[in-house]
Amino acid sequence: MRMDSLRLQLLRWLLLPLAGLVAVNVFTSWRQASATADLVTDRTLDASVRAIAEDVRIDRGVIDAIVPPVALEMFDTGHRDRVFYRVDTAAGRLLTGYPDLPLPEPPPQASAPVHFTGSYRGSDLRLAALSYPLVGATDGARVTVVVGVTLAGHAAMVRELWVGNFGQQLILLVAAGVLVIIGLGRGLAPLMRLREAVMEKGRDDLSPLPDHAVQSELRPLVAALNTYMGRVAGQMAAQRRFVANAAHQLRTPLALLSTQVAFARRTGEAAERAEALAGAEESTRRLARLAAQLLTLSRAEPGSRRPRDEDIDLAQSARQVLEGLAYLAVERDIDLGLDVNAPAVTRGDGAMMREAVVNLVENALRYTPKGGTVTVTVEGTAEEAVLVVEDSGPGIPPEERDKVFERFYRVPGTPGEGSGIGLSIVREVVDGAGGRLLLGTAAAGGLRVEMRLPVAGG
């Protein structure tokens, strides 16, 4: 999945929730503006109905209901609202006003205005009704005053209050966006400088990146990059050593082979020629074995090819290897044996696993003196399949055991003609199979090598 710009993602995560909050606030502001407009309209209606009610009185036995102009003028807000009113006696007789103006249900009983909404002559109204004692009446008579006003001024008031608040919220959102963009630019500047530092590095420059100029959240990233570059540098150094050592290992037998062939061509003695050709044959054999080991090592390295995934019977693989190397044991008068104590089946690349066993057994045979012993033991547990190779050779000192896994490394003073990459091949194969390779001392005093591999299906 393609990722967008980090800057855009941060802007979305910051501004979208902020915009949502602004939308909620705008809606709340509209509700508050409507409530404010309702309150102002109701208070005006209250003042109007009281002004009318207080002017209704009995004069010489006649009810005088005159609507004071101020009771209507207070609604003149410039929005051309129409005002309707009616005054009724307690018995329901109309004293003045519009006879069909809506009345509240139920009619007001106390001296407190009742507010309600209605429709009159095609217009929506906000109305107030008040039951008020008739001034000058001795029998406690009351009149009911109803005043209604159209809602143009009310709607205008809601708009003015809401639009003003909305403008403030919009300005706040824009200002927040600008500040966020500026803050992101300044906050991401160290990341951009880190990018430039990485891009400016040469192809061979794997020196660590400084982490003091970046925020604490980015320091783990810098540390990971430095660790990765350290591993790459180590791999490159190992690759250079491998190429140099391989060239050296190949150059020596090639030079010897060239010398032997040239000598064989020049000499006239049959015995000398035969000896030179025998030497050339041995050099060719060493070259072929070294080339095969180098090819095996390159195939065992991670990522070099897609490994096979199959069940591997270690006892069967060991038996095949020992049958193939029996000639070498006979030549060197070495007792080569196989002990299978329990079935041991692992999973991995069968061909590479056999190559690993070949290298272990062949190394043991080459470094074990004549008349010695080499024993291969196979056993299995519930968690591991184990193959052990023990010999009666000189072994490897404990302080050298970590070094022998390096390619072309040989313990100083070790006799024989080994190339120093056999254990490197074994380690790559065992690591690729998810196992462990352990070195120790055999019961006969030689080297003990254990391959511990996960069992198939475990």
Side-chain angles (χ1 to χ4, degrees):
M1 182 178 66
R2 182 176 179 272
M3 297 296 291
D4 293 332
S5 164
L6 175 61
R7 190 188 305 272
L8 292 178
Q9 285 188 340
L10 290 175
L11 279 174
R12 283 199 295 266
W13 279 107
L14 290 171
L15 293 183
L16 288 181
L18 182 59
L21 290 175
V22 169
V24 172
N25 197 18
V26 167
F27 175 74
T28 305
S29 299
W30 177 82
R31 295 284 300 271
Q32 291 176 346
S34 297
T36 301
D38 287 345
L39 181 62
V40 171
T41 303
D42 289 347
R43 292 296 179 266
T44 306
L45 287 169
D46 291 349
S48 179
V49 294
R50 287 189 181 278
I52 295 174
E54 290 172 356
D55 267 10
V56 178
R57 63 190 63 243
I58 294 180
D59 186 11
R60 299 176 183 179
V62 178
I63 300 177
D64 188 8
I66 299 175
V67 177
V70 68
L72 304 180
E73 290 174 355
M74 61 180 64
F75 295 101
D76 186 10
T77 58
H79 297 286
R80 298 183 179 180
D81 275 317
R82 297 179 63 192
V83 183
F84 304 95
Y85 59 90
R86 65 182 293 178
V87 181
D88 296 308
T89 65
R93 182 169 64 88
L94 179 67
L95 299 177
T96 185
Y98 299 85
D100 52 349
L101 187 65
L103 293 172
E105 292 292 340
Q109 301 298 325
S111 298
V114 175
H115 305 101
F116 61 102
T117 57
S119 180
Y120 185 66
R121 296 187 179 181
S123 299
D124 292 330
L125 302 180
R126 181 70 175 173
L127 303 103
L130 174 65
S131 176
Y132 197 81
L134 180 60
V135 178
T138 58
D139 55 357
R142 307 177 71 90
V143 292
T144 300
V145 180
V146 179
V147 177
V149 63
T150 55
L151 301 178
H154 180 280
M157 188 183 305
V158 172
R159 281 197 306 272
E160 290 175 5
L161 292 173
W162 180 78
V163 169
N165 188 273
F166 176 76
Q168 294 175 359
Q169 298 295 326
L170 185 60
I171 293 173
L172 178 62
L173 180 61
V174 173
V178 172
L179 292 176
V180 166
I181 292 173
I182 295 174
L184 284 178
R186 295 180 64 86
L188 293 177
L191 186 59
M192 295 299 102
R193 288 195 295 268
L194 177 62
R195 172 185 175 277
E196 296 299 327
V198 173
M199 296 299 295
E200 289 174 0
K201 279 181 170 290
R203 58 182 298 178
D204 296 326
D205 183 6
L206 296 174
S207 58
L209 295 166
D211 63 353
H212 60 273
V214 298
Q215 299 94 333
S216 58
E217 291 83 1
L218 294 178
R219 287 172 189 163
L221 173 61
V222 176
L225 287 173
N226 288 336
T227 300
Y228 177 75
M229 288 192 294
R231 290 201 300 264
V232 171
Q235 291 176 353
M236 291 178 63
Q239 190 71 21
R240 286 192 292 266
R241 289 196 302 271
F242 174 77
V243 173
N245 291 331
H248 174 74
Q249 293 289 331
L250 291 171
R251 184 167 58 245
T252 300
L254 282 173
L256 180 60
L257 177 62
S258 177
T259 301
Q260 291 166 335
V261 171
F263 179 79
R265 292 180 61 184
R266 289 196 307 268
T267 184
E269 296 293 334
E272 293 179 348
R273 183 181 296 109
E275 182 179 358
L277 290 176
E281 183 179 7
E282 177 64 18
S283 297
T284 303
R285 186 187 63 79
R286 290 180 58 189
L287 275 172
R289 179 170 179 270
L290 178 59
Q293 284 187 313
L294 290 174
L295 179 60
T296 300
L297 182 59
S298 66
R299 292 172 61 198
E301 289 180 333
S304 60
R305 69 186 184 95
R306 184 176 182 180
R308 289 181 292 181
D309 189 21
E310 56 191 355
D311 287 341
I312 304 170
D313 186 340
L314 289 183
Q316 181 180 357
S317 297
R319 189 174 292 109
Q320 293 173 351
V321 170
L322 267 59
E323 290 174 355
L325 293 176
Y327 77 94
L328 186 57
V330 173
E331 288 179 1
R332 301 182 63 84
D333 190 23
I334 293 175
D335 182 11
L336 177 62
L338 171 65
D339 293 333
V340 179
N341 298 329
V345 180
T346 186
R347 192 159 185 84
D349 191 320
M352 297 306 299
M353 191 63 65
R354 283 189 291 274
E355 288 290 340
V357 178
V358 166
N359 277 275
L360 287 178
V361 176
E362 193 173 31
N363 278 353
L365 291 173
R366 290 186 182 280
Y367 290 109
T368 299
K370 289 187 177 182
T373 60
V374 174
T375 304
V376 179
T377 304
V378 177
E379 56 189 11
T381 66
E383 294 80 19
E384 291 182 314
V386 183
L387 184 143
V388 181
V389 179
E390 296 181 293
D391 61 56
S392 59
I396 298 176
E399 64 272 11
E400 296 287 339
R401 288 174 184 171
D402 288 336
K403 300 178 182 178
V404 295
F405 294 113
E406 296 181 10
R407 299 169 183 181
F408 301 109
Y409 180 82
R410 301 189 67 201
V411 177
T414 301
E417 56 184 24
S419 60
I421 61 174
L423 287 177
S424 298
I425 293 173
V426 177
R427 185 180 66 174
E428 292 289 352
V429 173
V430 172
D431 287 347
R436 299 177 295 155
L437 187 63
L438 306 176
L439 301 184
T441 302
L447 180 65
R448 173 186 173 91
V449 183
E450 295 184 27
M451 288 198 315
R452 294 186 168 272
L453 305 162
V455 297

